[in-house]
Amino acid sequence: GFSVSTYDVTSRSIYLRWPKFSGASSYRVTATAVNTVSHSLLAHFSDGILKGTLTSLIPNTIYAIQAEAIDKNGFTLAETQIMQSTAPDIPVIDQAYSKLSSSITVEWKAVPGATGYLLTAQDGDSFIETVVTNSPGTVTGLKPATLYRITVRSINSGGKSQPSPFRKAKTVLAAPVLSVSSPSCESLAVSWKAVYMAAGFSVSLMRSDGLGRMLKENTTNTSLIFTNLDPGTLYTIKAYAWNVNGIPGDDFTYNQRTSPTAPADVEVAFNSGALRAIVSWMPTEGALTYSVTASSGLSKLKCTTSSASCMVPSLQCGSEYYVSVTAYNDAGSSKPTDAVILKTIPCAPMNVSIEEDEPGHLLVSWSSVNFGHHYVVFVKSDDGLEVHCNTSDTQCHFPSDCGFTYFISVFAYNKAGQSPLGDVFNYTTAPCCPGDIRAAVVSGDTLRVTWAPVRGAEMYETRAVGGGGEVLCNDTAAACTLSALRCDTRYDITVHSFSEARGSNTSCASKRVATAPCSPEIKNISKETLSIIRVHWQSNNKEATYIVTARGEAGLWHCTSSGNSCTLINLPCGSAFSVSAIARSPAGQSLPSYSVPLETAPCCPNELIVTEVTQSVTNISWSVGMGAQTYVMTLASPKGQAKCHTLQNYCLLGCITCGTNYTVSLRAISETGLTASCTYQGYSSSACCPSGVKLYRLSNNGIRVYWRASDEAINYNTELHGSKGNFTCTPSSGLSHCDITEIPCGDVYTVVVSPVTDKGLKLTFCPKKIYSVTCSGSSVGMVIYRGKSSAE
């Protein structure tokens, strides 16, 4: 736990410290140079001293330092060792000098083993340090014209040496800070503030592009003026101060341009349409911007630009302007150029009056204006046609036409151009009569009258006279709907045009128009047959053809007549119609009459299917009959009839006699009770099932099935179904028994005997009987009746 450390190192000394060690009464430190032939240095320290210094060491040398804690008997309690290098040797300054007011440069001989050097510049209690790698080195951040004590220390990994013997050095003077202006385009005025410790100043000036000669002035003042310079040219000014010993300080460089000369060759181009002028000139050397001034009385207009032209806007008509140009740069401005006189266009003529001195002629007059040499009057009609007159007088004559609005503009002219547009005046002549009048029949009491719009008309009045009355319609549109008229009546229709400026044109001709026929009224509808309908109406028009239409989901049916009735034929069954009538004449078509409903009898079903359910029950089904709500189905025979009334399209009829021919008829009934009687092909019920079905044993393994036939002409089919097999046989016609020669015994059989229909189908509803066939040895034994099938 005993250790030693260094807290400072110089070229010939190492400063050590260690902690107090328990039981130690003194400490012994030995320093031995490494890789160097030299004696060792030994030092003793008492128990109360925990720091020690080793002196008289060799610079830039690595030492092995051993520290020992010694008890009071002289025995070593603990020891430790470290390696430490001394700093390099102390440098010696050769010279120290200042070239800039903020720094001093120091030169010295290199010291062996030094990896860097610490430069120190001290001014009283303040000092500035800088670390450099080799000589020469510069200390920066100093004050101008100030005396400093300069020292140098060498540095290596072990530490830094003691300071070198100091040298004194003084920083040079600060540079004067220039302020430059250009009183004229050929001079520059240079001034500056006083510089501390300065005895005089040197100022030089030359063109920045290197052309020409350099001017130089020495002075003890703080200002100078350079004259006979080039206008608008960039100059470089350099100045420095010197002290009483003539040593120059920092220099200061400033670039300044002389003010420009006035522009030459000023030209003014006037834009009469926009009342503005484009001013141009030859560019001036060194000018950055230009200002153009246009003066007229107390009014001044300006524009500024960096190019060689500028637009002066918002000039006044009928005015005279004096235009001058001034050049500018960062040094100042030139003198204004000589003024160029600009006369603008005349103002628009005033007091314009328009009158129609006689029909078809307009007179336009106005008052004269300043600077107006001649006048042009433009007259443009609202259809785009334009005419004009050119005169030095103050009035013009123009032709005119009805229904036109004329727009009149008067312009004055001089050498500068055309005056601005003044007020645009308009004059409207009386409107023309409407033409191309057309009347379209909307209904018996309404006419839609249209006409071609006419020039100048702001409103139209339509008048219809006829049938002992008069109807008026006023509208701004070129159309009018005349209502509340009498149907099948002739009217005289006249259309007058109006304008607010000139009133009405009442000399327009009338046109005779007839209204549409009156609507017929259906009186009744008679049904001559199921598909032939006759419609009757009341005829209430002088000349008209009537068209009757039956409209329904099935389609449209029409009939036409000039009388008071017509016939609709081939109407489909089971359909509902709405029947209406219209009247048609050369004047147009009437509104339809009120509709009358019509219903035709329902349709007979197209398909009918008869299915026997049992020997006495038959199911009959049919397709849906259009328009039918209920059906009555009847089967009739000499032995009786079966009948049912149903909402469905099928019926289950009982009490049917087997082997009987029936007549099939059906009545389809609509929701309103209309009935259609339908007949179909006759129906024959199937043969009756046989009775007395029994089984008898034959020799060996045979079985005979016996029954009582209902008709000897009927063929029968016999089926036996058992767990050991199924057997069938069909006897010859006229026989009432059938033999099955090979049948397994010891099984229970279900026996069914059914008539066979003409189509070769067997009936499925005949009764089933159950027999048990026992075995006697390997042959059929007893045949025992077990009863009917449970399905029965």
Side-chain angles (χ1 to χ4, degrees), residues 537 539 541 543-547 560-566:
W537 60 86
S539 177
N541 295 291
E543 292 183 4
T545 299
Y546 298 89
I547 301 172
T560 303
S561 174
S562 58
N564 58 4
S565 67
C566 70

Side-chain angles (χ1 to χ4, degrees), residues 3 16 60 109 145 181 213 220 224 233 267 283 414 469 497 511 534 548 660:
S3 63
L16 303 172
N60 193 37
K109 290 183 177 62
S181 63
R213 62 187 182 89
T220 57
L224 278 174
T233 302
E267 295 183 356
N414 62 14
S497 58
K511 181 176 183 178
R534 190 161 191 84
V548 176
T660 304

